[in-house]
Amino acid sequence: MSSAHRRGGRRALHVLLVAGPALFLIVFFALPNAYLLSASFQVSEAQQLTDTLTLDNYRLLFTRPFYLNTILRTFVIGGSVGLIVVVLAYPLAYFLVRTSSRWKGLLIALSLAPLLASVIVRTYGWYVILSREGLVNNLLRALDVIGEPLRLLPSSWAITIGLAHALLPYGVLTIMSSLNGINPSLERAAMGLGANRLRTFLSVVLPLSFPGVAGGFLLAFSIAISAYATPAILGGPSTEVMATQIRNLMVSLLDWSLGSAFGVVLIVSSLAILLATAALGAKRSAL
Amino acid sequence: MTETALALERIEKRYGATTAVAGIDLAVGAGEFVTLLGPSGCGKTTTLNMIAGFIEPNAGSIRLDGRPIESLPPFKRDLGMVFQDYALFPHMTVAENVAFGLRMRKVDGADIARRVAGALDLVKLAGLGERRPGQLSGGQRQRVALARALVIRPKVLLLDEPLSNLDLKLREEMRLEISALQRRLGITTVFVTHDQGEALVMSDRIAVMNAGRIEQIASPRDIYERPASRFVAEFIGMMNFLDATAVGDPDAGGRARLSFVGGGEIVVPVPPGTRSGAGLAVTIRPERARLDRTTNTAAGAIAIAGRVARVVYLGNAIEVRLELAGGGTAAIEIKNDGRQTPPAPGEDAFLTAAPEDCWVVPRSG
């Protein structure tokens, strides 16, 4: 009797423990997303949502070149950021994992240090470097390479550089963790069997660390396509991305339905990529 | 001995102030199975890694068929290595693992398939080529690692404690199997282990290592029955040590009269260079020592008085621990053949041994 009682008490505790986070998720995640989804199918009139349902918002997004370009630009920037992050992070991660330096811990901390500064601060750093009177222009002019300052801002590639810099530590972390999982004697085994360093890397290390590379790419990609601050600072009206466009639509134009549709596209594309990765991962591990 | 396949000359490896390998010489004959045996930290694995090329020696040279290889990278040395953790490539099938070395050597496709099948056959894994290493048992992985090392027809096979991750029964099976395979292929082999049982069963010669040096290199029988030092005698099997002092210089046959610290005398061969008054240790294996109730032993034999402290039942034998009257303890193994009555603790008894069952080593070192 008392043990049944205790079991009942424990179950109540479990329910309570789960109820808190569940409630939090429902109120702050599920409901807003449901609201976003429903708003994207409603007609906006006089800056108010009406009860009339429509697909026009999506039609507009995928037919009007301005919006379509915004979506494409976002993905191109996201893809480039992912690629740059992975390419730059890999050698660094490899070095950090394999080094036997006694400064190893410090070196790892240093490589992750950019995470300590806020994105805004780092992005303004790039602004200072790339602006009309910035470091790059002043240097090039001092060296007489150029007469007139280059117009480096606003531009898509400035956004790409800024985001890649901000997201590099994520790439280092994911690639490091997958390199750490590779038994060092595998490399010895490959070399013992006649593979030189390059072939050892290409046939053993790279394939085995691929999950980390893919993870780093996708992490950088999905953060980059939803980033707001960096595109807002380093970009301009001609380089809108989805996040900045959503803000324009919702805050400046008060077109809640079109903004919502944009939001849904952003969320669904992130989700699709995530699911595709998970499916790919499941297939690989099943082999 | 046949011609030398692999020769280490004054190989040395230091890490800062610590010396891992302190200038060792080792010549391995073609087709010979040599074991580096020693406790962890004795330098045996470092030595193997220097042969393989994964560690660069600070001094000395390594010759393979007379050619110096110490400056070659591992991928140009033509050696086959089996790692303690097997180091199979988890993203490749068994067949791809075995084919790896052949692909690196640019052997053509049909030849690769044929040789891979042959190698898998050799280690009794025919038909498992399409499996992944993760789907194999420990013993099977071990065989794949062996096939992968052998398929490239290496000049020397290097085995780094390949049996230590297997359970006892499988380990004993694989000992004999690897030995048989090695002899059939006639492949020169260097084997690293801390397991004296493996070393005794598998080797043509054993190099016992201690603190970066080779203490003794000899056949398993000589290592066990005629250890060169106290360390070797202690490291291999159980051993009783009875401290003694040389009374007079050795005769022309290398034999000297020794007087035991606890009383009694014996005439036995002594280590070369022994002088009168030198401190020595007479070693007797527990299975060579006998337990007697009286001192009525054959002429020349020793009889050391003691009291039975403990009787341990081992199954095939009974071990009697004797507290010696002159100090120290000794172990005597009585065969459990049903013809001898084991003594009871507290009984007085003598450890007796014939001179031919005794072997003398320097007292220290």
Side-chain angles (χ1 to χ4, degrees), chain B residues 63-103:
Chain B
R63 289 169 191 280
L64 188 60
D65 293 335
R67 209 164 52 98
I69 59 165
E70 68 272 4
S71 52
L72 291 181
F75 48 88
K76 288 189 180 156
R77 292 197 181 191
D78 252 339
L79 305 170
M81 181 142 171
V82 175
F83 294 81
Q84 186 171 4
D85 53 11
Y86 317 136
L88 299 180
F89 306 124
H91 58 303
M92 299 181 193
T93 63
V94 166
E96 284 166 348
N97 263 281
V98 176
F100 189 87
L102 298 175
R103 280 201 289 121

Side-chain angles (χ1 to χ4, degrees), chain A residues 74 76-90 92-93 111-120 122-123 126 158-176 212-231 234:
Chain A
T74 309
V76 169
I77 289 176
S80 319
V81 168
L83 218 62
I84 292 171
V85 162
V86 165
V87 167
L88 292 182
Y90 201 102
L92 180 58
S111 343
L112 304 181
L115 287 176
L116 295 176
S118 117
V119 160
I120 308 281
R122 275 178 290 169
T123 305
W126 282 107
I159 298 173
T160 307
I161 290 178
L163 284 171
H165 170 232
L167 299 176
L168 190 63
Y170 294 102
V172 174
L173 275 178
T174 52
I175 294 172
M176 261 180 76
V213 174
F217 177 87
L218 288 162
L219 198 59
F221 179 86
S222 54
I223 298 177
I225 61 172
S226 55
Y228 173 77
T230 307
L234 299 177

Side-chain angles (χ1 to χ4, degrees), chain B residues 151-166:
Chain B
V151 77
I152 58 173
R153 294 173 193 146
K155 292 193 180 121
V156 177
L157 180 64
L158 305 175
L159 305 170
D160 182 12
E161 308 223 17
L163 303 178
S164 60
N165 286 337
L166 301 177

